[in-house]
Amino acid sequence: MNTLVEKQYVKELVCGSNFSYILAEGGLFSATEYKVLQSQASGCFVQCMKMLYNGNIQIYYLANQLKPFANLIPSLDPERFMAVVINLLGNILKVRNNGFLSCQKIDVSFEHIYVNPITLNVGLVYLPVNHTIYPDQSSFENEIRTGLIKLISGVSNLQSPATMQLSMDLSNGTLSIEDLYRRYKGGEDFLQEKDKLQGKSKHTVSLCLTAMHAPTRVEIRITKDRFVLGKKAGAVDGVISFNDKISRIHCRIDRKGERYTITDLQSANGTYVNGKRLQANQPYRIGNGDIIRMANSDFQVSTR
């Protein structure tokens, strides 16, 4: 339970898929932290607004396009679970490295960690108040570690050799959050470096999309195993801002080894490969020289 709720500093109010915290008194509100959150609304946080509720300050969180991590767990496979964990750790590091915010004010209960079910990007719930949920950084990190370890051991659909290794690493107190993030975010690079040290060579094909008729040069390099494209910054990995007909979350490119596929994510104006419109949510293999059309913008695929 959120200790601020337990101590009655704040009261939680659920509003459909959104929710809010009502502050017991105005002096609890941190105006500086709230301004920082507003300036980073499209980043790693669930967007929030300051409002009034029966004369008290209300922090209202807009989570209607996201799902609580707890609700998403039954539908996740080990690979997607790992992607969520990596994004969670990355966002925590962003907060830790921000000079104005404190990780101890992030609610890391699985009911209040929010996930975009398409991109698997994570939104954190930050309370801009003058009290902390966790007494120190160590308690905060321990809450995350123990929660994830219990999930992996207790939910069968999340279990795989990779997640069991993650559980062991989470239990290893010598590995910091940053160590864990680097190990799993850079897993492929780590394996390639290991192969080099062992005298092995491994060629990995990288894929790039180049806009063919854009007003300026646009080149998008696919840098993740699941890479989402669209025009909404903060919701996708590759932002395409020059064409309003492209959907906010338009399509996704998946990488498995040296094989790439593209999937239309129910875009309004469609995704095409070499003139053929793709059926939504159905992957289609792509390779060097293919022409991908998003709405009415063409991109040429090149591999290196």
Side-chain angles (χ1 to χ4, degrees):
M1 177 185 289
N2 186 326
T3 56
L4 297 183
V5 175
E6 193 174 35
K7 294 177 180 178
Q8 298 184 348
Y9 290 132
V10 300
K11 178 182 178 182
E12 184 176 354
L13 182 66
V14 178
C15 317
S17 57
N18 301 320
F19 71 99
S20 65
Y21 286 114
I22 314 298
L23 276 57
E25 56 182 68
L28 290 169
F29 180 69
S30 171
T32 299
E33 291 180 337
Y34 179 73
K35 288 179 181 178
V36 174
L37 292 178
Q38 296 309 296
S39 69
Q40 301 183 15
S42 63
C44 59
F45 301 105
V46 176
Q47 186 178 358
C48 66
M49 298 187 301
K50 176 189 174 187
M51 305 171 68
L52 285 179
Y53 181 85
N54 293 336
N56 292 85
I57 293 176
Q58 176 186 35
I59 309 299
Y60 189 88
Y61 294 87
L62 302 170
N64 55 327
Q65 293 185 350
L66 307 172
K67 284 190 175 182
F69 189 24
N71 294 358
L72 202 61
I73 287 167
S75 65
L76 291 177
D77 58 24
E79 183 181 357
R80 286 167 60 81
F81 172 74
M82 291 287 286
V84 173
V85 172
I86 290 168
N87 290 335
L88 170 62
L89 297 179
N91 283 358
I92 288 169
L93 289 175
K94 289 178 185 177
V95 178
R96 195 189 70 181
N97 295 331
N98 186 305
F100 297 97
L101 303 176
S102 167
C103 288
Q104 294 159 240
K105 299 182 184 181
I106 301 171
D107 188 343
V108 289
S109 61
F110 293 149
E111 292 78 12
H112 284 155
I113 293 173
Y114 282 83
V115 180
N116 184 310
I118 297 174
T119 66
L120 303 182
N121 289 337
V122 171
L124 300 175
V125 171
Y126 189 96
L127 277 71
V129 295
N130 294 317
H131 287 278
T132 59
I133 301 173
Y134 305 97
D136 50 46
Q137 181 71 20
S138 177
S139 300
F140 165 77
E141 292 191 8
N142 186 60
E143 182 78 8
I144 298 168
R145 290 173 184 264
T146 55
L148 291 173
I149 291 168
K150 288 179 181 178
L151 264 187
I152 294 169
S153 63
V155 182
S156 59
N157 59 285
L158 302 181
Q159 294 172 0
S160 73
T163 59
M164 297 308 289
Q165 181 61 53
L166 171 63
S167 180
M168 292 175 61
D169 288 340
L170 287 165
S171 302
N172 184 349
T174 65
L175 293 175
S176 67
I177 293 292
E178 187 171 4
D179 292 334
L180 292 167
Y181 177 73
R182 287 181 174 178
R183 172 169 291 187
Y184 288 94
K185 177 68 173 178
E188 186 172 324
D189 294 335
F190 175 80
L191 291 175
Q192 289 177 11
E193 186 63 27
K194 183 178 178 182
D195 285 342
K196 289 179 182 178
L197 292 173
Q198 294 176 346
K200 300 176 183 178
S201 63
K202 181 179 178 181
H203 175 65
T204 301
V205 174
S206 62
L207 186 140
C208 184
L209 303 182
T210 303
M212 299 178 67
H213 306 292
T216 59
R217 178 174 175 80
V218 176
E219 185 175 277
I220 303 170
R221 189 175 300 278
I222 308 306
T223 57
K224 298 168 62 177
D225 289 342
R226 298 174 67 86
F227 195 94
V228 178
L229 296 156
K231 67 181 180 184
K232 185 177 181 182
V236 299
D237 303 299
V239 180
I240 305 170
S241 58
F242 65 84
N243 186 347
D244 288 340
K245 294 186 181 297
I246 291 176
S247 296
R248 292 181 298 173
I249 299 174
H250 196 98
C251 62
R252 185 185 71 239
I253 293 178
D254 293 292
R255 175 179 64 190
K256 190 170 185 179
E258 297 188 355
R259 183 176 183 269
Y260 287 85
T261 59
I262 187 169
T263 303
D264 180 80
L265 299 177
Q266 299 180 336
S267 63
N269 294 307
T271 304
Y272 301 76
V273 176
N274 299 327
K276 177 182 177 181
R277 183 163 185 166
L278 305 185
Q279 184 177 346
N281 300 316
Q282 295 296 317
Y284 189 93
R285 189 166 184 177
I286 55 174
N288 190 49
D290 285 339
I291 304 297
I292 294 173
R293 171 169 288 188
M294 298 177 222
N296 58 355
S297 290
D298 290 335
F299 298 80
Q300 185 166 33
V301 177
S302 59
T303 54
R304 300 170 186 176

